Amino acid sequence: MVRLASAFLVSRPARWFGSSLRGLALASLIANIGIIVTGAAVRLTKSGLGCPTWPRCTDESYVSTPEMGINGAIEFGNRLLTFVLVAIAVACFIGALVRRRRSLTRLSVAIALGIPGQGVIGGITVLTNLNPWVVGLHFILSIALIAGAFALWRRVGEGDGDPVPLVPAPLRQLARVTAAAGLAVIAAGVVVTGSGPHSGDQGAKRNGLDPAQISQVHADLVFLLIGLTVALWFALRAVGAPAAAVRAVAVLFWVEMGQGLIGFVQYFTHLPVALVAAHMLGSGLVWTSTLAVLWSLRSRPESPAPAPPAPTPAAVGEPVPAA
C-alpha cells in the first residue's frame, strides 16, 4: 500500500495536482463562500425541510422524489454540493502531499475534515427542525472553512520561513481587534437571522429574541467595525506601511460599506429575499477581505538553506591528528 501511494505521488496526474494547488485552493475558497449563498437559498425558499430527514432525503430514499416538489429538489441539490467541496478538498490534499510541505498538508487536512463536519451539523439542523442556534453553528463553521481555505491559498505562494512583520506591533494588534470586531458582527448577524422571518420552513421556531433590539446591536457592531477599519487605514498611512497593506484595508472598508448599505436597505424594506441573499454573500466577502488585511501585514520568506558542514582536515589537505 505504501509503495502504491508513493508511486501515485510521483505520477503525472499527481504532479498536476501539485502544480495546480494554488488554483485548487482558490476554488476551495470560492466554493466555501458559494455554499453560504446556496444555503441561504434553501432557507429563503422555505426548503430547509424539503428533505425532512437525514442522511436520507426521506425514510425510503436518499434522493428527493417528484412528489417533494421544488423544495425537495433545492434542499437535495444543496446537499449534493457537499460532494463538490469534498472533491476539491481531496484534490488540495493530494496537491499538498506532492508539494511535500507539512504546513500545506495540515491545512488541507483541516479543510477536508471540516466539510464532513459541516454535513453532520447540517443533518442535525434538519433533525432538530431547523433550530436557529444549530443553523447559526452551521454558518459559523462555513466562516471557519473560509479562513482555512484562504490560508491554504495564500500559503501556497509563500515560503516556510518564520513570518516577518511589516508594520509595528501596535498596528498588528489593531488589525486583530478589527478582525475580532468583524467576527462579532458576523455572530450578531447570525442571531438576527435566527430572530427574523426567514426560518427556512413554515413551522420552524425562532430564537425568541426581539428582532429590532438584536438588529440594533448588530448595527452598533457594524459602526464599530467601520471605525476600526478607518483608524487602521490612517495608522498604516502614518507609518508608511507597504502599499499592499493600505490597499487591503481600503478594499475591506468599501466591502463593509457595500455590505452595510445592503443591510440597511433590507431592514427598511422588510427583508426581501434577493437582498437577504446578497447580504449573506457579503458576509463571506467581508470576512475574506478581513483575512486579506491580516495577511498583508506580514510576509513569510523561504526558509534559509542549511549551512554546509565545515570541511574536515582531510578535505582541505591538512594532516589528520594521530589517534
Side-chain angles (χ1 to χ4, degrees):
M1 183 65 69
V2 174
R3 289 183 178 179
L4 287 175
S6 300
F8 173 73
L9 290 178
V10 298
S11 65
R12 180 173 297 179
R15 292 201 303 272
W16 179 88
F17 285 115
S19 62
S20 304
L21 180 56
R22 187 167 174 81
L24 290 169
L26 180 59
S28 178
L29 175 61
I30 293 172
N32 278 288
I33 295 174
I35 204 166
I36 290 178
V37 181
T38 61
V42 170
R43 182 166 54 84
L44 295 171
T45 58
K46 301 187 184 300
S47 303
L49 295 178
C51 289
T53 188
W54 186 86
R56 296 173 183 258
C57 193
T58 69
D59 290 335
E60 295 79 24
S61 173
Y62 281 98
V63 301
S64 60
T65 62
E67 294 76 18
M68 300 171 72
I70 187 64
N71 296 120
I74 291 173
E75 164 64 5
F76 181 68
N78 191 59
R79 292 187 183 189
L80 287 180
L81 289 177
T82 300
F83 294 98
V84 175
L85 292 176
V86 168
I88 297 173
V90 170
C92 288
F93 174 68
I94 295 173
L97 287 178
V98 172
R99 290 287 188 102
R100 300 183 184 276
R101 289 177 58 185
R102 189 172 300 175
S103 60
L104 301 182
T105 304
R106 286 197 296 261
L107 280 170
S108 64
V109 168
I111 296 168
L113 293 178
I115 293 170
Q118 182 77 307
V120 171
I121 295 175
I124 295 173
T125 299
V126 171
L127 297 176
T128 57
N129 294 318
L130 308 183
N131 181 293
W133 300 108
V134 181
V135 173
L137 179 61
H138 198 41
F139 180 81
I140 293 299
L141 182 53
S142 285
I143 294 298
L145 286 171
I146 289 172
F150 183 89
L152 179 61
W153 175 56
R154 292 297 297 265
R155 286 300 307 275
V156 172
E158 297 179 332
D160 280 329
D162 293 331
V164 177
L166 302 177
V167 298
L171 294 190
R172 299 198 304 275
Q173 185 61 35
L174 176 58
R176 296 187 192 102
V177 172
T178 303
L183 279 177
V185 168
I186 291 172
V190 168
V191 179
V192 171
T193 299
S195 68
H198 297 298
S199 61
D201 186 79
Q202 295 284 4
K205 294 182 179 180
R206 304 284 71 207
N207 59 26
L209 300 175
D210 182 2
Q213 293 181 354
I214 298 301
S215 295
Q216 184 61 58
V217 172
H218 181 56
D220 292 341
L221 288 170
V222 169
F223 287 127
L224 173 62
L225 174 61
I226 292 174
L228 289 169
T229 303
V230 171
L232 181 60
W233 186 82
F234 277 108
L236 290 175
R237 290 288 300 269
V239 301
V246 178
R247 186 167 54 250
V249 178
V251 170
L252 172 60
F253 171 78
W254 288 113
V255 172
E256 290 169 353
M257 293 300 289
Q259 176 75 334
L261 177 62
I262 294 172
F264 276 108
V265 172
Q266 73 167 5
Y267 181 80
F268 289 110
T269 56
H270 307 293
L271 305 176
V273 168
L275 286 182
V276 174
H279 201 54
M280 296 289 287
L281 172 61
S283 65
L285 297 180
V286 168
W287 180 232
T288 304
S289 300
T290 303
L291 296 171
V293 169
L294 295 176
W295 235 261
S296 71
L297 302 182
R298 96 291 181 276
S299 65
R300 193 185 293 269
E302 294 286 350
S303 300
T312 62
V316 297
E318 295 179 1
V320 179

